[in-house]
Amino acid sequence: MAIYLLSIEEVKKIINDMEVMYSNINLIDHVKYRIKSPESIINKMNKKHYNLNYKDLIEKINDIAGIRIICPFQENVYVVRNLLIRNPKIKVLNEKDFIKKPKPSGYACLHLIIEVPVKSKFGEVYVKAEVQIRTMAMDFWSSIEHELKYKNKNVTKHASKRLIKAAKQIRKLDYEMSVLANETR
Ligand code: 0O2
């Protein structure tokens, strides 16, 4: 796991530099970092029918190092995304834009699977990390929905529908706040 911690440190430095360079605009509200727990890794590998070995773990589990960037507005999400993908240290392996195409649950967030160079005792190695970029409003919804549902707790069909409806309201609110902010700038 040490190598994944080092990858998080690398991404932290890149985000810190970005915040310093763009300190005149409120691009990022806050950033969270986490290493996926062994239990969560094993659950995911079982769910996806991967072999429980290091080869599959390293090749197929992309979110052992996780970085979540929370932005005030949706347009900030794309500015942060563009700055990250233009950074020479970052190699983008995959991108999923659930803001343009939300998940059936209503989840709307931008995901990047990246690789960053990390200095290890074997020399420089590229280590994967998942970056999730979302608005403050969507972060509020996602955290609660994840807690209630995504982790397979008992949620009735009716409650699921209400969560989908709440996500729609959040997306509307995000749009409205963006429009309002742009009008008053
Ligand atoms: P955690 O760390 O507890 O949040 P991949 O195999 O990597 O291509 P993956 O990881 O199976 O694809 O799926 P996906 O959809 O790209 O991203 C998974 C992560 O996105 C989840 O992590 C959540 O953090 C978030 N996510 C995806 N869909 C939803 C959703 O409908 N609701 C909420 N609240 N979050 C979602 P994990 O695995 O749950 O781990």
Side-chain angles (χ1 to χ4, degrees):
M1 290 297 124
I3 203 110
Y4 290 102
L5 275 171
L6 289 174
S7 79
I8 286 188
E9 288 308 314
E10 280 308 313
V11 181
K12 257 188 195 173
K13 278 188 225 152
I14 293 170
I15 296 172
N16 282 345
D17 289 350
M18 189 191 291
E19 286 189 285
V20 171
M21 273 183 77
Y22 293 86
S23 55
N24 57 329
I25 41 175
N26 190 14
L27 208 52
I28 296 174
D29 185 75
H30 63 282
V31 187
K32 295 182 214 168
Y33 305 89
R34 69 107 184 85
I35 292 286
K36 208 173 182 70
S37 69
E39 191 199 2
S40 192
I41 294 173
I42 291 170
N43 284 344
K44 187 165 185 174
M45 292 183 80
N46 283 332
K47 206 164 126 188
K48 296 203 172 229
H49 307 291
Y50 297 153
N51 294 318
L52 286 182
N53 58 39
Y54 280 111
K55 188 175 177 288
D56 271 22
L57 173 86
I58 293 165
E59 285 175 6
K60 298 182 179 165
I61 303 296
N62 298 323
D63 64 342
I64 297 175
I67 298 106
R68 188 170 288 159
I69 306 176
I70 321 295
C71 303
F73 301 109
Q74 225 168 64
E75 53 262 40
N76 304 141
V77 170
Y78 289 100
V79 175
V80 171
R81 176 242 179 228
N82 291 342
L83 290 171
L84 285 178
I85 68 168
R86 272 194 234 129
N87 189 296
K89 276 195 175 168
I90 291 181
K91 261 195 218 169
V92 179
L93 301 182
N94 190 21
E95 176 169 7
K96 292 184 195 169
D97 190 344
F98 299 119
I99 295 178
K100 292 224 164 74
K101 198 171 183 296
K103 283 201 164 188
S105 62
Y107 180 76
C109 175
L110 195 131
H111 288 193
L112 294 173
I113 304 297
I114 61 165
E115 267 185 349
V116 281
V118 163
K119 283 189 188 75
S120 76
K121 60 180 175 187
F122 310 106
E124 192 175 75
V125 286
Y126 273 81
V127 181
K128 278 192 275 192
E130 182 186 66
V131 183
Q132 299 184 346
I133 321 173
R134 61 202 196 196
T135 63
M136 285 156 74
M138 189 39 77
D139 187 54
F140 161 69
W141 178 91
S142 303
S143 305
I144 294 169
E145 194 258 6
H146 194 269
E147 188 54 36
L148 295 178
K149 187 158 175 258
Y150 199 68
K151 291 290 185 183
N152 276 327
K153 295 216 176 126
N154 281 334
V155 172
T156 61
K157 268 194 176 161
H158 179 60
S160 283
K161 280 189 182 157
R162 284 164 64 196
L163 281 167
I164 294 171
K165 198 173 158 202
K168 264 192 198 146
Q169 288 166 335
I170 291 280
R171 298 204 302 272
K172 250 184 158 172
L173 183 67
D174 261 336
Y175 176 74
E176 176 62 3
M177 294 307 275
S178 259
V179 172
L180 254 169
N182 283 321
E183 277 173 11
T184 52
R185 264 176 203 141

